[in-house]
Amino acid sequence: MKKFDKDRLILGLAGPVLALVVAIALTSVVLLASGRDPFEPYKLMVESAQYADIQVLILNQAGTYYLAALAVAVGFRMNLFNIGVDGQYRLAAMMAALVGAAVELPGPLHIALIVLVAMLTGAFWAGIAGVLKTLRGVSEVVSTIMLNAIATSLIAWLILTDNFGVQLEGSNDLTTGEIAESGWFPSVSLGDGGEIYGFTFVAFALGIVYWFVLNRTRFGFDLRATGASESAAAASGVDAKKMILTAMLISGGVAGLAGMPTLLGDTHTYSLSFPTGIGFTGITIALLGRNNPIGIFFSALLIAFLDKASSALDQYGYEKEIATIMQGLIVIAVVVSYELVRRYGLRRQQQKVGEELAAAARKNREEVAA
């Protein structure tokens, strides 16, 4: 049993480690082909990350990425590809900002209302894809991609209309209006290093909730069982369609929270300059972290490090897009490396079964001979 656990751990680590090694190697080849030093950019990014303000930026960004990746991971564990996390996240952030700016309540209630609106909006938007899949058999990939486009247009229309768009003093940007201070989530000040968004810690705490629900509850078992085999789950009394819809609602609800670290800790309003692409980055992180909350945590830190530490490259004549190239290569390398590891794991498992059968046969022959 101990041997099996050891093998499983090694195989679990082999995928992401191999993906990172391949991504770094390919990025170095690209740098070398362009006549650049293939190793100096990594050194510069590591040196940049030693400053406290960059570390704070990395941690804050990692919190946002972590929530987006958890939303994707919920779908993955159900064998669903919720590619619409980005649209769910942005629409939820905008609606939460609208409601947050329109009311003024005591601090905890104000924050709770904003968070609730964000979760409900994200769940509603993802639920549309869930309903289409369960009732009409529409692929969630197709529907969520289309819903992303609809969300983008809907957000632009709402903000650019006189009814919702507000131009803050000293700014040319239209926003949803500024949330009153009672709706700001407390941050942790590090002096000159900046502030860590308080919601960042909530994000990481949700990883614990994700692990507990998935591995220690009946609902988590049903979700994983349905993702593995709908027919087998149905045979054991699980309503597969209900689980699909529930998983999409939960995935969308978590996606809605992805904008809360930035909204409640920094901007306190939503505008067209609000960060985009978070949901797609979450897919990379969920894949690299293998849908495991600990793996996702380190993957989120890595991608956040590449995002924030790469800003120093411009000062030394390197394009910061090097980090973007590396992220893209990680996605490709993850898919390839995990497939290689999966095939090796199957061969290794077959080999172990063969060894155990051979050992049992030898034992039987020895007993008969005795």
Side-chain angles (χ1 to χ4, degrees):
M1 184 66 180
K2 291 183 178 178
K3 179 67 175 176
F4 173 77
D5 289 340
K6 181 181 178 181
D7 287 347
R8 186 170 61 180
L9 177 62
I10 293 174
L11 289 174
L13 292 175
V17 170
L18 180 60
L20 290 176
V21 170
V22 171
I24 292 173
L26 291 178
T27 304
S28 298
V29 170
V30 172
L31 288 168
L32 194 61
S34 60
R36 304 295 185 88
D37 189 316
F39 303 110
E40 188 179 21
Y42 308 126
K43 177 184 175 183
L44 294 174
M45 285 192 287
V46 170
E47 290 176 351
S48 173
Q50 294 176 2
Y51 294 99
D53 57 337
I54 299 297
Q55 293 173 2
V56 169
L57 290 175
I58 291 172
L59 192 60
N60 286 334
Q61 189 68 62
T64 297
Y65 284 163
Y66 192 75
L67 287 168
L70 283 182
V72 175
V74 170
F76 279 160
R77 296 307 296 263
M78 184 63 196
N79 203 24
L80 296 171
F81 193 178
N82 181 9
I83 203 171
V85 167
D86 198 67
Q88 296 151 21
Y89 139 81
R90 289 185 289 114
L91 187 63
M94 190 211 67
M95 293 302 298
L98 274 175
V99 173
V103 301
E104 192 166 347
L105 299 169
L109 291 177
H110 200 171
I111 294 171
L113 176 63
I114 293 171
V115 171
L116 181 62
V117 170
M119 291 183 66
L120 291 176
T121 303
F124 169 76
W125 206 245
I128 296 174
V131 170
L132 289 173
K133 184 169 182 68
T134 54
L135 296 184
R136 308 298 298 178
V138 178
S139 168
E140 73 280 1
V141 175
V142 175
S143 59
T144 51
I145 288 175
M146 295 179 68
L147 285 167
N148 276 342
I150 296 172
T152 300
S153 300
L154 182 60
I155 290 168
W157 177 74
L158 288 173
I159 291 183
L160 295 177
T161 57
D162 294 334
N163 292 331
F164 296 102
V166 176
Q167 186 171 346
L168 299 179
E169 187 177 351
S171 173
N172 293 325
D173 199 8
L174 285 174
T175 76
T176 53
E178 188 169 9
I179 298 173
E181 194 168 347
S182 59
W184 299 6
F185 203 96
S187 300
V188 178
S189 177
L190 298 180
D192 295 337
E195 293 184 340
I196 301 175
Y197 304 151
F199 211 87
T200 297
F201 299 103
V202 176
F204 296 145
L206 282 176
I208 301 174
V209 176
Y210 165 84
W211 174 86
F212 180 81
V213 171
L214 208 62
N215 297 283
R216 292 292 184 268
T217 66
R218 173 60 188 269
F219 170 79
F221 173 80
D222 289 347
L223 187 143
R224 288 182 287 114
T226 308
S229 172
E230 287 189 24
S231 57
S236 63
V238 179
D239 187 337
K241 289 187 176 181
K242 180 180 177 181
M243 291 303 299
I244 290 173
L245 180 58
T246 303
M248 286 300 294
L249 290 172
I250 294 175
S251 179
V254 177
L257 293 177
M260 295 302 98
T262 302
L263 180 65
L264 300 180
D266 183 22
T267 63
H268 310 300
T269 188
Y270 185 94
S271 69
L272 297 182
S273 61
F274 205 79
T276 59
I278 301 296
F280 300 109
T281 305
I283 295 173
T284 301
I285 294 169
L287 286 172
L288 185 60
R290 305 202 70 171
N291 303 319
N292 180 283
I294 297 177
I296 291 173
F297 172 76
F298 287 109
S299 300
L301 282 178
L302 172 64
I303 300 300
F305 162 77
L306 292 174
D307 278 351
K308 300 305 179 182
S310 62
S311 60
L313 295 179
D314 284 340
Q315 305 172 19
Y316 298 92
Y318 291 93
E319 295 77 9
K320 63 181 181 180
E321 283 73 22
I322 290 172
T324 305
I325 293 174
M326 190 171 179
Q327 289 181 25
L329 290 173
I330 286 175
V331 176
I332 299 173
V334 159
V335 176
V336 175
S337 64
Y338 283 0
E339 179 61 20
L340 291 175
V341 170
R342 185 187 70 82
R343 293 183 180 183
Y344 172 79
L346 288 175
R347 289 198 301 270
R348 175 61 179 157
Q349 190 175 18
Q350 291 170 354
Q351 181 183 0
K352 287 174 64 178
V353 171
E355 291 173 353
E356 290 173 359
L357 290 175
R362 284 195 303 269
K363 184 177 180 181
N364 288 336
R365 286 198 298 269
E366 290 172 357
E367 291 176 352
V368 170

